[in-house]
Amino acid sequence: MSEATIGLINKLQDALAITGGNDSLDLPQIITVGEQSSGKSSVLEHIVQRDFLPRGSGIVTRRPLVLQLFRASDNTPEYAEFLHLPKQKFYDFEQVRMEIVKDTERIAGGSKSISKTPIHLKMYLNNVLNLTLIDLPGLTKIPIGDQPDDIGAQIKQLVLDYITKPNSIILAVTPATIDLANSDSLKLARQVDPEGKRTMGVISKLDLMDAGTNALDVLTGKVFPLKLGFVGVVNRSQQDILTSKSMSDAVHAEQLFFQSHPSYRSIAHRCGSQYLAKQLNHILVNHIREKLPELRTKLSTLIGQTQHELSQYGDAALSGPVHQSSLVLKLLTLFSTEFTSSIDGTSSEISTKELSGGARIYFIFRTVFKQALDAIHPCANLSTADIRTAMRNSTGPRGSLFVPELAFDLLVRPQIKMLEAPSLRCVHLAYEELAKICETCGSKEITRFPKFHTRLIEVVSDLLQERLEPTLSYVGSLVSIECSYINTNHPEFPSAAEALKELDKRYKEQESMEPLNRSSRSMSITSTTSTLSSFSHSPKNPMLNQYLESQKLANHHQDAEPHAENQSTVSDLDDSFKIKPTEREEKEVELIRYLIVSYFNIIRKSIQDLVPKAIMHFLVNYTKENVQNRLVSSLYREDLFDDLLKEDPSVSSERERCKTMLQMYRLAFNLVNEAL
């Protein structure tokens, strides 16, 4: 049963390696971690009981090594094979070492840099237990020789990528010659497994400890408690390797060391590489069995996801001549539907990270356009002198008896015209958003035909461009219409009484803030209100044509003074505005300014309402309603089919990869299901 259990994981590992799906499935596996020169490679060779790993100084292991051990029958010759050389068997383990070096250089280069791409090695041996281990590059802090400056960070991240996965068992190798508190492998293990539930410690080089010292407290779990415990091992020394000491002799010497050592004699049965191999086999089998239900659920999910992905690539058979017509029509409908649903917010792939599609257009209307309109002051670029000039110019050679309505018209039209620029800008922003929606449309089933996808975008872009000018023209006409007739009878425009009441209120508030200046004022707006009682029954006379009629006698003396002896010239006229305005002129200016603000706010409110409606009608809705017809009329032509339906080679390879993944996931699901 244990052989079948581990064999199941081995099959899954091979399939994932071939299809490139290693990251999609968190398989139960043992990850070997240790510092450089910690004896990690020697521990693995003791378990395998074969010399097969590269040796040397610095980084020797530069790629993850997925080592799968299979127990072969006594009558079967021992051999090894690599996943990247599936038809080649290696009977000489020195050649295995050479191939590891060769393939490492092929992927990681000839320097001391590392690669995340693993080497998959299967070994069929007579006297081993079925086991799968992943050997990682040794941890280091200081680059040596031609090692990259950040080599330590690279290796640390590679190790974390493996041991962070919840289903991995961590085999942390630490030499007995260093303080356990300084063990980098145990530090990383604790970082991802703080409770020590899936970490097993290995203490190597016990024979090299100083005389009178031992690691008994560590091996018995009194110093650094781990659920899976610690196992002590004694590796071959460098002298043993140089003298070609056989692996069987090394294993025998290891057993003698523990059995004869006074400190380790009592736990000798729980030490050594052979015991370590048995424990790892037992732990891995139990771990796999524990994770099988979870693995089946994960595989079921992956099957559904992969089926959906495969459906998006479409069926290659449909691109044949017989099905071209129906395929083109299907893709045209699919694109137009995706474009419309993106605007309406009914797309199945709505973003949760940022506004998209029609929501962005709504944001333009509600926020961007509104803020642009609100930023325009009703009397922007309109000084008191400008208002006085307009009022005087509108009376010609005659003196003014009333507030001139013509002056109001002249002054308010340019202010209304300022609403045109943000309105036209709103059209352009909406157009740009529609263009973005168009460019982002296209499922994998469509994008597998690059020319077709490009032509779809071009046709919709042309339609949008056609609708841009009519929309701009209409929106511009909305402002022109408002400028063409100043409707002083608008129901929201203030009446004479309302205007005077508001101005009087403001005057009093200002007067209360300036008590020292109160005696200098000879007339308030309130005093003029009574003189307008004769027409106050007319509730809507916003221009207040008789506003200053009551002022005529009070100011008659200003007009009665003869100026026959005045020698002023025409050039002096501009200087007249430098003279402080009279109280009457101040009130005229105040009244005109109040009326301009009131009327401008009415028009701004109207423009804020009408412009989005115009954009929706002329641009957005028109495009939505006509996009499919335009696509069909432009692209549904038999003479274009061959060119449009040229599939991207990369999509074809992705479809095949997806098919392979789906087959692998289904096979794995069946295997796991049978194991349960």
Side-chain angles (χ1 to χ4, degrees):
M1 179 62 185
S2 63
E3 294 181 1
T5 303
I6 296 178
L8 168 64
I9 297 300
N10 289 339
K11 290 179 181 178
L12 293 179
Q13 280 181 331
D14 292 347
L16 288 171
I18 294 173
T19 56
N22 285 306
D23 294 333
S24 59
L25 205 59
D26 180 16
L27 294 176
Q29 50 197 4
I30 297 175
I31 314 297
T32 307
V33 184
E35 300 175 38
Q36 288 185 27
S37 304
S38 64
K40 178 168 57 66
S41 296
S42 296
V43 169
L44 293 179
E45 287 188 331
H46 267 235
I47 292 174
V48 177
Q49 298 187 40
R50 299 290 183 278
D51 290 316
F52 71 99
L53 292 174
R55 295 187 179 277
S57 60
I59 301 178
V60 178
T61 304
R62 297 193 288 125
R63 292 172 58 189
L65 174 65
V66 180
L67 176 62
Q68 297 176 355
L69 301 179
F70 298 89
R71 185 179 182 87
S73 61
D74 295 336
N75 298 326
T76 304
E78 298 180 330
Y79 69 93
E81 61 182 11
F82 293 91
L83 194 63
H84 64 275
L85 299 172
K87 296 181 180 180
Q88 186 174 348
K89 294 183 179 181
F90 293 80
Y91 296 97
D92 184 351
F93 291 99
E94 177 62 28
Q95 292 183 350
V96 172
R97 177 186 295 130
M98 294 172 60
E99 180 58 31
I100 292 175
V101 173
K102 179 181 176 182
D103 199 58
T104 296
E105 292 181 350
R106 179 177 67 87
I107 299 298
S111 65
K112 294 297 183 179
S113 59
I114 65 170
S115 170
K116 294 183 178 181
T117 305
I119 298 175
H120 288 257
L121 173 63
K122 298 175 184 288
M123 301 184 75
Y124 297 84
L125 307 173
N126 296 332
N127 55 349
V128 298
L129 296 173
N130 282 12
L131 193 60
T132 300
L133 298 166
I134 298 179
D135 184 28
L136 298 179
L139 297 165
T140 185
K141 294 179 180 178
I142 302 174
I144 300 174
D146 58 352
Q147 294 177 353
D149 292 339
D150 64 339
I151 189 66
Q154 289 186 36
I155 296 176
K156 180 180 179 181
Q157 186 57 54
L158 175 61
V159 171
L160 287 173
D161 288 343
Y162 275 86
I163 66 175
T164 301
K165 297 178 179 179
N167 286 349
S168 63
I169 297 294
I170 305 170
L171 187 65
V173 180
T174 302
T177 52
I178 70 168
D179 188 349
L180 207 64
N182 297 324
S183 170
D184 289 337
S185 60
L186 288 174
K187 286 180 182 178
L188 281 183
R190 175 168 284 183
Q191 182 177 330
V192 299
D193 180 31
E195 297 180 1
K197 291 183 177 180
R198 54 186 182 90
T199 301
M200 183 178 188
V202 175
I203 304 299
S204 63
K205 302 184 180 182
L206 287 169
D207 56 327
L208 300 181
M209 295 185 70
D210 294 337
T213 63
N214 62 71
L216 184 62
D217 287 345
V218 174
L219 295 176
T220 55
K222 296 178 180 179
V223 177
F224 198 104
L226 294 175
K227 181 180 179 181
L228 302 180
F230 281 89
V231 175
V233 297
V234 174
N235 304 324
R236 286 185 302 170
S237 65
Q238 188 63 32
Q239 182 63 31
D240 292 339
I241 296 173
L242 292 175
T243 58
S244 301
K245 185 176 183 178
S246 68
M247 192 62 69
S248 59
D249 289 342
V251 171
H252 181 66
E254 180 187 44
Q255 293 174 343
L256 287 178
F257 172 82
F258 288 111
Q259 292 171 356
S260 60
H261 196 285
S263 299
Y264 306 132
R265 187 182 304 150
S266 61
I267 60 169
H269 63 287
R270 293 193 287 111
C271 295
S273 53
Q274 288 187 322
Y275 174 77
L276 176 62
K278 292 179 182 178
Q279 281 297 99
L280 291 176
N281 174 271
H282 176 72
I283 290 170
L284 183 59
V285 169
N286 289 338
H287 187 57
I288 292 172
R289 289 174 179 171
E290 179 186 346
K291 297 297 181 181
L292 282 181
E294 176 186 318
L295 197 59
R296 179 173 62 179
T297 302
K298 178 65 175 178
L299 283 166
S300 179
T301 302
L302 288 171
I303 288 172
Q305 293 173 348
T306 310
Q307 284 177 330
H308 175 69
E309 181 183 355
L310 182 60
S311 67
Q312 291 185 317
Y313 289 120
D315 191 340
L318 289 178
S319 59
V322 178
H323 301 287
Q324 283 185 333
S325 176
S326 59
L327 178 59
V328 168
L329 189 59
K330 174 188 175 183
L331 296 180
L332 291 175
T333 303
L334 187 63
F335 188 87
S336 62
T337 301
E338 186 176 353
F339 178 77
T340 302
S341 61
S342 295
I343 296 173
D344 292 338
T346 58
S347 174
S348 59
E349 298 182 0
I350 294 178
S351 173
T352 59
K353 304 298 182 183
E354 61 180 1
L355 291 179
S356 61
R360 289 185 63 86
I361 296 177
Y362 176 68
F363 177 77
I364 291 170
F365 293 160
R366 184 193 63 181
T367 304
V368 179
F369 182 49
K370 181 180 182 302
Q371 289 177 351
L373 294 182
D374 290 345
I376 301 175
H377 192 278
C379 293
N381 303 321
L382 199 59
S383 66
T384 299
D386 294 333
I387 297 176
R388 289 171 61 197
T389 302
M391 292 173 61
R392 290 194 180 186
N393 286 341
S394 65
T395 62
R398 299 170 301 281
S400 173
L401 297 179
F402 316 112
V403 175
E405 185 169 348
L406 179 59
F408 174 76
D409 284 5
L410 290 174
L411 291 168
V412 80
R413 281 193 175 90
Q415 305 307 110
I416 295 174
K417 192 68 175 176
M418 289 192 298
L419 298 173
E420 183 178 49
S423 298
L424 297 179
R425 178 59 180 157
C426 184
V427 176
H428 282 288
L429 289 175
Y431 167 80
E432 291 169 5
E433 287 303 326
L434 289 173
K436 289 179 183 177
I437 292 173
C438 171
E439 292 172 358
T440 55
C441 284
S443 62
K444 290 182 180 179
E445 189 172 0
I446 296 175
T447 55
R448 66 179 173 133
F449 304 113
K451 289 187 177 181
F452 197 0
H453 187 225
T454 300
R455 290 289 293 125
L456 287 168
I457 294 176
E458 289 175 354
V459 171
V460 179
S461 297
D462 290 343
L463 176 59
L464 290 172
Q465 185 65 40
E466 289 177 14
R467 298 308 303 166
L468 178 60
E469 190 57 39
T471 309
L472 288 171
S473 177
Y474 184 82
V475 169
S477 70
L478 290 176
V479 179
S480 299
I481 289 170
E482 295 293 353
C483 291
S484 65
Y485 177 63
I486 306 303
N487 182 20
T488 56
N489 289 318
H490 193 283
E492 295 182 14
F493 197 58
S495 66
E498 292 170 342
L500 290 171
K501 183 178 180 181
E502 178 63 24
L503 289 174
D504 186 49
K505 178 182 177 182
R506 294 182 183 179
Y507 176 81
K508 288 181 177 180
E509 290 175 352
Q510 183 179 2
E511 192 177 50
S512 64
M513 296 296 292
E514 302 177 10
L516 297 178
N517 296 331
R518 185 174 303 171
S519 60
S520 65
R521 299 184 180 272
S522 60
M523 182 183 69
S524 71
I525 298 177
T526 305
S527 65
T528 64
T529 306
S530 60
T531 66
L532 297 173
S533 59
S534 60
F535 74 93
S536 61
H537 62 275
S538 176
K540 299 299 177 183
N541 189 359
M543 298 316 299
L544 305 178
N545 291 328
Q546 299 179 5
Y547 171 74
L548 295 176
E549 185 175 6
S550 62
Q551 306 291 331
K552 182 171 63 173
L553 294 177
N555 297 290
H556 177 68
H557 67 279
Q558 297 179 8
D559 300 320
E561 293 291 337
H563 298 282
E565 296 180 3
N566 193 330
Q567 300 300 317
S568 298
T569 63
V570 175
S571 62
D572 297 325
L573 291 177
D574 293 337
D575 294 333
S576 64
F577 288 101
K578 298 179 182 178
I579 302 174
K580 183 178 180 181
T582 65
E583 188 174 4
R584 170 187 172 181
E585 288 176 323
E586 287 182 348
K587 297 188 185 308
E588 289 175 350
V589 170
E590 187 177 0
L591 180 60
I592 287 290
R593 192 184 297 276
Y594 176 77
L595 295 175
I596 290 173
V597 171
S598 298
Y599 194 80
F600 181 88
N601 287 337
I602 292 171
I603 303 306
R604 174 162 53 189
K605 184 178 179 181
S606 176
I607 291 297
Q608 185 179 334
D609 178 59
L610 290 175
V611 168
K613 291 180 178 178
I615 294 173
M616 290 300 298
H617 175 71
F618 285 95
L619 183 61
V620 180
N621 291 343
Y622 185 94
T623 304
K624 282 169 47 181
E625 294 166 1
N626 292 274
V627 62
Q628 183 163 2
N629 289 338
R630 177 62 66 90
L631 288 172
V632 171
S633 62
S634 300
L635 300 178
Y636 191 68
R637 292 162 42 191
E638 190 173 347
D639 58 313
L640 297 177
F641 289 170
D642 288 337
D643 189 50
L644 293 177
L645 296 179
K646 289 181 179 178
E647 189 173 58
D648 185 350
S650 63
V651 173
S652 178
S653 62
E654 280 297 305
R655 184 193 298 108
E656 293 305 312
R657 182 196 64 80
C658 205
K659 284 182 179 179
T660 304
M661 290 292 293
L662 183 59
Q663 292 173 356
M664 189 278 296
Y665 288 146
R666 285 172 173 166
L667 174 62
F669 181 83
N670 292 334
L671 290 173
V672 172
N673 212 33
E674 290 174 2
L676 288 172

